[in-house]
Amino acid sequence: FKEAIAAAVDTGGAGGGGGARRVMKDDKSRTLYERVGGDLNIETAVEVMFAKCLVDPRVRSFFERNQRKMQQIRKKVYQFLSGFLGGPKLYDTTNVKPAHYHMNITDFHFDALMDLYGLSLGELGIHADACKDFLAALNRVRKDITTGCTVRMELAFKNMEKGKDGLFKRLGGEDGINHFMERFFDIVVVDNRIRGFFQGKDIKTIREGARVYF
């Protein structure tokens, strides 16, 4: 069983991954768990997807962990998908939101994961309709996965609109930023490493633009 999964990962899942069961026909009266091929295909798809995540710049940073931690995460993802798709319930789904709340996962990251899941299932020979329904089902947990980041971003925007941004205050407000920019550009024009970029330029205008931006 494990050798079949390893073979699928080594070959990128192509051609059914050596041990994964190709699903040539799709019976929509059955559960998604059955339609994608059950245990073997789900676990293999998770392994293939994780291998893709490790080389995808959009999501790689979330998966660069030590081997033991990665094994734990893969196991939880497999257990979640098993019950979520209509198979054995091996994971408490109420843990999904709190487990991801502090991970700063945005819709961009979630869409990337959806892409990689779709590719992985396709490479394993899962029927196209089952793949489509799998992704539609998975999209239902988007809010649980991205809520933490969404809440923090909304609070940050509200604080900025009210002029209550924490960093703005810590820098001394408008006066502090004005002073910082003056000192910064005093250094810029005499620093041999970068002053060449500003020769012949209107430093006063550049400084004012940077001040407004900050």
Side-chain angles (χ1 to χ4, degrees), residues 2-143:
K2 295 298 182 183
E3 289 174 358
I5 293 175
V9 174
D10 290 341
T11 60
R21 296 187 291 271
R22 295 182 66 85
V23 183
M24 305 304 294
K25 295 182 179 180
D26 185 42
D27 181 356
K28 293 191 176 184
S29 67
R30 308 177 77 184
T31 65
L32 263 175
Y33 176 84
E34 295 170 309
R35 290 170 62 194
V36 300
D39 276 343
L40 178 60
N41 281 4
I42 292 174
E43 189 164 0
T44 306
V46 170
E47 294 287 340
V48 174
M49 190 275 292
F50 267 63
K52 292 181 182 298
C53 287
L54 286 171
V55 296
D56 191 305
R58 297 173 296 176
V59 295
R60 184 174 58 198
S61 61
F62 294 105
F63 295 87
E64 292 177 329
R65 304 289 187 268
N66 63 60
Q67 187 173 1
R68 171 182 256 179
K69 183 65 174 177
M70 288 298 292
Q71 288 175 342
Q72 292 174 347
I73 296 173
R74 283 196 297 267
K75 181 179 180 180
K76 289 179 180 179
V77 171
Y78 159 71
Q79 291 176 335
F80 164 74
L81 288 175
S82 173
F84 183 70
L85 299 176
K89 297 185 182 301
L90 308 171
Y91 182 84
D92 183 358
T93 56
T94 61
N95 289 329
V96 173
K97 184 183 289 187
H100 296 88
Y101 192 83
H102 297 288
M103 294 181 66
N104 287 328
I105 299 174
T106 66
D107 283 319
F108 170 80
H109 300 126
F110 192 87
D111 287 339
L113 291 173
M114 294 277 280
D115 288 344
L116 298 179
Y117 266 118
L119 288 171
S120 300
L121 292 171
E123 290 174 2
L124 293 176
I126 308 302
H127 193 281
D129 287 345
C131 290
K132 181 179 178 180
D133 289 347
F134 172 95
L135 295 176
L138 193 61
N139 197 49
R140 295 203 302 267
V141 301
R142 174 189 294 268
K143 188 174 180 180

